[in-house]
Amino acid sequence: MTRSMSSFDKAMALFGALVAQDGVFESDAMSVQLGVPESTLYRHLNALHSAGLICRSKRGRYLPNPVFLMKLEGYTPHAVLSEIVRPFLDQLSVALETTTHFGILENDMVTYLAKAAFEGEEVFTREKGQLEAYCSAIGKVLLSHMTIDERQAYITSGPFPKLTDKTITDPGEIERELHRTRNKGFGVDDGEVHNALYCIAVPVFSSRGMVVGAISSSSSQRWASPKEQRDRLIQLNGVAQSISSTLGAGA
Amino acid sequence: MTRSMSSFDKAMALFGALVAQDGVFESDAMSVQLGVPESTLYRHLNALHSAGLICRSKRGRYLPNPVFLMKLEGYTPHAVLSEIVRPFLDQLSVALETTTHFGILENDMVTYLAKAAFEGEEVFTREKGQLEAYCSAIGKVLLSHMTIDERQAYITSGPFPKLTDKTITDPGEIERELHRTRNKGFGVDDGEVHNALYCIAVPVFSSRGMVVGAISSSSSQRWASPKEQRDRLIQLNGVAQSISSTLGAGA
DNA sequence: CAACTACTATCACAATGTGATAAATGGAGA
DNA sequence: TCTCCATTTATCACATTGTGATAGTAGTTG
């Protein structure tokens, strides 16, 4: 991790900064931002250009090369993510003897990108299916990592249907639950989506701390003991971290 | 162009190959394909990974990093292309004293991504607007650079409405016209879309010879002499080449 | 279990990236 | 048109990095 950065990483850091700033390049500001001397920045800029990653629009503006973008058109983050995550879910499902999911947030709903079923445990979810976020374990985790503004917008967006008699539907109560979820570092759905469905979920981070999605363990019966739940969480977090490191170092 | 490739270029060449081959990496085949020894390839592979461009799916399979893809989600090839091309069109419009366009092929129709109007020359087209390909200058150029199969599919897809009395509508005749267009290297619309609209167009290539789009010069009156037309073509081609080199070396 | 291929590790050498400095180019405004 | 300022290119001595041959490990397939 702390091994010497290759020239490649440095140039890609510049690319990342450019993309994040809508192509605006101010040499002195960028220099302090990235901790790289200006002369080196221009060399990196040229490297990015000759590699076909960026092209110059006007003075001080560099955009991702459209030809490069076209090459990536066949790939969607969702499709790739689900392919990457699937083997991890399979392994986890065997280890925990439960069904496991990987989900992301999309339009305030949870979308399941991958599912590994554990035989004997029928779970009604399906891949690419959507679920309410406020009551599912994965949803709680993802909502709890939103910015304050985003979360506020979600909380006031209601209404929140009562799916079971355990479903939390009061906005204030939901907000507190999300706060607890964030503090604990994992989300719990204690029969709040479906009477016979109990889940716990933990976040999957990208290497720079952004939340990419969450993985969960779902069972038709409640976990027997606190110890058992703790055990599952450890395994979930282990796998989450494996996924993170598979995703690598980029943003 | 032939100056020594930076390590960056070589690694990005590997990335390009991976993307083009759906992530499949066979070290010996890739080695001969790129002319790079295997040990170096694996170093590049690791560089791409640690820079966050790719991640490992399974043995021998490397996919674009979904986190990286997400960062690029705000950029579409079309939007970037039109921004890149616009200043060139403006300049060309002044030089030729005609309206100029940049268009690409989309679902067998020409889509105009950018337009630079020349005052006094009213042209009915608008940016993001679509036009039939078989009778417009830009369309002819783009169709003429399709693969044989694609072109055949287009020719048989008909029907081809007769927009003016000069419009070529017979499939066989269209095919011959496309063949002529390809051989000449430029396309002509001699009032075939609209009675008072005369255009010539030339292709814009990416640095590896792929056709990205085409630029055209449109006028409400026919060019006076062959010499004048030749002159316009020279300027069109010059600008097309400028755009190509702005797009850079990738793919 | 055998054969194969993906993948990692090491090392001496050379190529390439580095950053300070200086100079040129181009665009916005007076 | 001229001035000013930020962007951009050019140069150079130095040291960090990349290179590729070789050898060895590990995971997969039959």
Side-chain angles (χ1 to χ4, degrees):
Chain A
M1 203 77 231
T2 322
R3 79 160 192 275
S4 65
M5 273 211 295
S6 68
S7 65
F8 200 93
D9 295 61
K10 299 180 207 161
M12 284 309 301
L14 173 56
F15 180 78
L18 282 176
V19 166
Q21 297 169 24
D22 200 40
V24 176
F25 177 81
E26 288 171 312
S27 58
D28 54 347
M30 193 67 91
S31 178
V32 305
Q33 180 183 335
L34 297 181
V36 172
E38 297 189 31
S39 61
T40 303
L41 279 183
Y42 279 103
R43 198 173 324 106
H44 288 331
L45 224 39
N46 286 327
L48 289 170
H49 176 81
S50 86
L53 278 175
I54 59 173
C55 51
R56 253 175 82 159
S57 164
K58 50 183 184 183
R59 234 177 122 80
R61 190 170 163 79
Y62 296 82
L63 295 173
N65 189 321
V67 181
F68 177 72
L69 293 176
M70 285 176 181
K71 290 200 292 187
L72 292 176
E73 265 183 328
Y75 295 90
T76 67
H78 289 188
V80 176
L81 257 181
S82 78
E83 173 166 348
I84 299 290
V85 164
R86 186 157 292 119
F88 290 100
L89 285 190
D90 289 338
Q91 168 208 327
L92 187 62
S93 179
V94 171
L96 293 182
E97 300 186 335
T98 66
T99 295
T100 54
H101 292 95
F102 174 76
I104 61 165
L105 216 51
E106 203 175 18
N107 296 330
D108 287 346
M109 297 274 284
V110 172
T111 301
Y112 289 120
L113 292 186
K115 167 182 179 177
F118 179 71
E119 50 181 322
E121 288 273 1
E122 309 280 321
V123 176
F124 65 87
T125 57
R126 61 205 159 93
E127 288 187 5
K128 300 202 176 183
Q130 299 220 117
L131 218 66
E132 289 290 351
Y134 62 96
C135 49
S136 67
I138 286 181
K140 287 179 183 177
V141 168
L142 298 176
L143 290 172
S144 78
H145 277 88
M146 280 176 154
T147 64
I148 299 177
D149 290 348
E150 290 170 333
R151 194 157 73 205
Q152 205 55 41
Y154 178 79
I155 295 286
T156 56
S157 73
F160 304 103
K162 197 166 186 67
L163 302 181
T164 74
D165 52 359
K166 286 181 160 182
T167 309
I168 303 171
T169 58
D170 174 64
E173 195 58 47
I174 290 175
E175 192 166 10
R176 277 188 290 281
E177 170 72 358
L178 292 182
H179 207 259
R180 278 194 297 272
T181 300
R182 177 62 185 264
N183 285 339
K184 290 186 300 184
F186 63 92
V188 176
D189 159 20
D190 187 10
E192 298 160 43
V193 170
H194 191 277
N195 282 316
L197 185 63
Y198 304 91
C199 308
I200 50 178
V202 301
V204 174
F205 295 97
S206 81
S207 58
R208 294 197 195 159
M210 208 180 75
V211 172
V212 175
I215 55 176
S216 71
S217 164
S218 306
S219 167
S220 60
Q221 45 197 324
R222 292 179 81 171
W223 38 91
S225 64
K227 183 188 176 310
E228 188 181 345
Q229 195 195 39
R230 208 162 348 112
D231 214 59
R232 284 193 188 174
L233 280 171
I234 291 172
Q235 300 210 53
L236 274 167
N237 274 318
V239 170
Q241 204 144 355
S242 298
I243 295 173
S244 290
S245 68
T246 296
L247 288 179
Chain B
M1 200 77 228
T2 321
R3 79 161 193 273
S4 64
M5 274 211 294
S6 69
S7 65
F8 200 93
D9 295 61
K10 299 180 207 161
M12 284 309 300
L14 172 57
F15 180 77
L18 282 176
V19 167
Q21 297 168 23
D22 200 41
V24 176
F25 177 80
E26 289 170 311
S27 58
D28 53 347
M30 192 67 91
S31 178
V32 305
Q33 180 183 334
L34 298 181
V36 173
E38 299 189 30
S39 62
T40 303
L41 278 183
Y42 278 103
R43 198 174 324 107
H44 287 334
L45 223 40
N46 286 326
L48 289 170
H49 176 80
S50 86
L53 278 175
I54 60 173
C55 53
R56 254 174 82 158
S57 166
K58 50 183 184 182
R59 228 178 128 80
R61 189 170 164 77
Y62 296 83
L63 295 173
N65 190 321
V67 181
F68 177 71
L69 293 175
M70 285 176 184
K71 290 200 293 188
L72 292 176
E73 265 183 329
Y75 296 90
T76 66
H78 289 187
V80 176
L81 257 182
S82 77
E83 173 166 348
I84 298 291
V85 164
R86 183 157 295 119
F88 290 100
L89 284 189
D90 289 338
Q91 168 208 326
L92 187 62
S93 178
V94 171
L96 293 182
E97 299 185 335
T98 66
T99 294
T100 54
H101 291 96
F102 174 76
I104 61 166
L105 216 51
E106 204 174 17
N107 297 330
D108 288 345
M109 298 274 283
V110 172
T111 301
Y112 288 121
L113 292 186
K115 167 183 179 177
F118 180 72
E119 50 183 322
E121 288 273 0
E122 309 280 321
V123 176
F124 64 89
T125 57
R126 59 204 162 93
E127 288 186 7
K128 299 201 175 184
Q130 298 220 119
L131 219 64
E132 288 290 351
Y134 62 97
C135 49
S136 66
I138 286 181
K140 287 179 184 178
V141 168
L142 298 175
L143 291 173
S144 79
H145 277 89
M146 281 177 154
T147 64
I148 299 177
D149 290 349
E150 290 169 334
R151 195 158 73 205
Q152 205 54 40
Y154 178 79
I155 294 286
T156 57
S157 74
F160 304 104
K162 199 165 184 65
L163 302 181
T164 74
D165 52 359
K166 286 182 161 181
T167 309
I168 304 173
T169 57
D170 175 63
E173 195 57 49
I174 290 176
E175 193 166 11
R176 276 188 292 279
E177 170 72 357
L178 293 182
H179 208 259
R180 277 194 297 273
T181 301
R182 178 62 184 263
N183 285 340
K184 291 186 300 184
F186 63 93
V188 177
D189 159 21
D190 187 10
E192 298 160 44
V193 171
H194 192 277
N195 282 317
L197 185 63
Y198 304 90
C199 309
I200 50 178
V202 301
V204 175
F205 295 96
S206 80
S207 58
R208 294 196 196 160
M210 208 180 74
V211 172
V212 174
I215 54 176
S216 71
S217 164
S218 306
S219 167
S220 59
Q221 45 196 322
R222 291 179 82 172
W223 38 90
S225 64
K227 184 186 177 310
E228 189 180 345
Q229 194 195 39
R230 207 161 350 113
D231 215 59
R232 285 194 188 173
L233 279 170
I234 291 172
Q235 300 211 52
L236 274 168
N237 274 317
V239 170
Q241 205 145 353
S242 299
I243 295 174
S244 290
S245 68
T246 297
L247 288 179

